Amino acid sequence: MPPGPAGAQLTGAQLTGGPSTGSSATSGPPTGSSAASGPSAGFSAASGPSAGFSAASGPSAGTELTVVVLSPTDPMTRGQLRRMADLARDEGHRVRWEEARGGTTAPFHTIGGLAGPLRRADRIVMGDPFSRYVQLLLTITRARDLVVVDDGTATMEFVAQLARGERLVRWHRKGGRPGPRDLLFAPVSSSARRRLTPSDRRRVEVFSSMPVTEIPDGVTVTANDFAWTRARFGPPRITQSADLVGTSLVETGVVDGDRYLEAVRNLAKAHGATRYFAHRRESTEKLHRLAVETGLEIVRPDLPLELIARRGPIGRTILSFPSTVVHTLPLALAGTGVRVAVCDIDPTWLTDTASPRAQGFLSGVTGTARDVHRLAAVSLA
């Protein structure tokens, strides 16, 4: 992470917050942040992809930023977080790895250990605001400066829900009835939403590459242009073939598995794709079936795809379904000549249990993307 204002250092420390395609891991400092300048003492924490949390106690010469990783249980995500933690160390930050989900008592130990620094912090930088872990930690802090750093598609929904005063619900779950855990956690979620609402005592900023249209009163939005990523990695070697980026829409219950496999097969055949970059949440069984039935080489990235693409080699054309990467890859690969093409999700691919918001949200992800080539939904037999 390059030097800069205190807020920029903390945002850069979000390296551990999103080891996935389209995560805030590749964000870099928020140019133009109103955070105080100078070195910053404090810590950063990540509870998984795009679910990070960080804090700073304000400018203090000679002190360093500590990155606290709230480790998830998923092996793929843990591996990517380990690599991102190494990058944070390379940039001069101290990393503290917390097994925050390592048993029934782990959350109590983690929260107890972080309570003091959180209460003393003047600034908190967090990733995924829908994370229950992040929401719980938010109830502890008295920070006057809150920054959401996330390049995931959930950022669009978060800002819109905050503007409308709605409860914070992930887009693919919206429209369904709250479950017992939702009801139990409702007071914490409501408290987090209130803390993320700007007031005379609290400043709220969103730093993201995602398009934000419904901006709540008092919220500052700063665009991430991926300057740090471009300066730190690449330029990549460009191959003549095409690469296809996977999605976890099957795993989240939005898209039918058989329909998805057929769409991937047809898309790869039509555009000459040879590699399939798997999303970290895609199941091993699905990926094995994709490899067998499509002939694609399955690649499980150990770093966010934006970094993988910048390091190369990468295909001259990158194919994707609606996802974060249709917004982030054009920024990360600016000036390389790589073309990003997005294929819409046909309504017939959706499952019977998909959220009523699914089609509209996915269309919005595609429709608001800049510098991408839009493909018609592939026809299925």
Side-chain angles (χ1 to χ4, degrees):
M1 288 155 282
Q9 286 185 326
L10 287 169
T11 301
Q14 193 59 30
L15 277 169
T16 58
S20 66
T21 56
S23 73
S24 56
T26 53
S27 298
T31 305
S33 171
S34 59
S37 59
S40 173
F43 68 95
S44 163
S47 59
S50 300
F53 208 91
S54 47
S57 56
S60 177
T63 54
E64 65 178 3
L65 182 70
T66 300
V67 180
V68 180
V69 182
L70 308 177
S71 176
T73 57
D74 170 57
M76 192 68 192
T77 304
R78 286 172 65 91
Q80 291 187 354
L81 276 170
R82 292 283 189 192
R83 290 295 308 277
M84 297 309 295
D86 288 341
L87 279 180
R89 293 187 184 96
D90 291 344
E91 297 291 340
H93 300 300
R94 189 159 56 93
V95 178
R96 170 178 162 184
W97 186 279
E98 290 280 343
E99 293 293 348
R101 295 169 175 82
T104 55
T105 62
F108 299 100
H109 291 298
T110 297
I111 293 171
L114 298 179
L118 281 171
R119 291 193 182 101
R120 294 190 296 270
D122 295 322
R123 181 186 305 111
I124 297 293
V125 182
M126 72 203 79
D128 179 12
F130 293 106
S131 163
R132 286 174 173 166
Y133 224 133
V134 169
Q135 291 178 5
L136 185 59
L137 291 173
L138 264 179
T139 65
I140 299 173
T141 183
R142 302 184 182 95
R144 296 175 59 86
D145 194 4
L146 302 179
V147 185
V148 176
V149 180
D150 190 3
D151 289 314
T153 52
T155 302
M156 302 162 65
E157 192 74 353
F158 160 68
V159 175
Q161 290 178 14
L162 194 65
R164 296 191 293 262
E166 299 175 354
R167 68 189 184 99
L168 302 181
V169 183
R170 297 187 189 278
W171 69 266
H172 56 82
R173 296 181 58 197
K174 199 169 183 181
R177 296 180 60 183
R181 294 180 63 185
D182 298 316
L183 297 174
L184 181 65
F185 205 78
V188 174
S189 182
S190 297
S191 175
R193 180 169 49 80
R194 288 193 298 270
R195 287 176 182 268
L196 288 167
T197 302
S199 67
D200 294 338
R201 298 178 299 171
R202 188 177 303 110
R203 174 184 171 274
V204 178
E205 178 179 358
V206 174
F207 177 70
S208 179
S209 66
M210 304 303 293
V212 176
T213 53
E214 297 182 67
I215 302 176
D217 292 339
V219 172
T220 301
V221 176
T222 305
N224 171 29
D225 62 2
F226 279 73
W228 179 84
T229 301
R230 293 194 302 272
R232 182 70 166 76
F233 300 95
R237 178 173 66 85
I238 311 299
T239 69
Q240 295 302 312
S241 59
D243 291 323
L244 201 156
V245 179
T247 175
S248 60
L249 290 174
V250 173
E251 283 72 14
T252 53
V254 176
V255 171
D256 176 77
D258 291 334
R259 291 281 185 174
Y260 180 75
L261 187 144
E262 191 174 355
V264 169
R265 180 193 298 113
N266 292 349
L267 194 62
K269 182 178 179 180
H271 296 274
T274 58
R275 293 189 299 177
Y276 179 98
F277 286 95
H279 189 281
R280 67 182 183 280
R281 292 197 184 100
E282 289 189 83
S283 70
T284 301
E285 293 77 17
K286 186 182 84 174
L287 294 176
H288 176 73
R289 186 181 174 194
L290 278 169
V292 171
E293 298 190 26
T294 68
L296 287 165
E297 175 190 354
I298 306 298
V299 180
R300 302 207 76 164
D302 60 352
L303 285 170
L305 187 57
E306 294 80 7
L307 303 190
I308 294 291
R310 282 296 304 182
R311 293 170 66 176
I314 194 71
R316 186 165 297 279
T317 298
I318 299 178
L319 306 165
S320 175
F321 297 101
S323 73
T324 299
V325 299
V326 304
H327 293 269
T328 60
L329 284 179
L331 294 169
L333 294 171
T336 64
V338 173
R339 185 184 74 149
V340 178
V342 57
C343 176
D344 287 317
I345 298 292
D346 190 285
T348 61
W349 303 356
L350 301 181
T351 64
D352 294 337
T353 57
S355 164
R357 281 275 290 119
Q359 187 62 39
F361 182 81
L362 292 170
S363 297
V365 170
T366 302
T368 55
R370 299 178 295 271
D371 300 321
V372 300
H373 179 69
R374 294 192 65 173
L375 306 172
V378 294
S379 59
L380 305 183

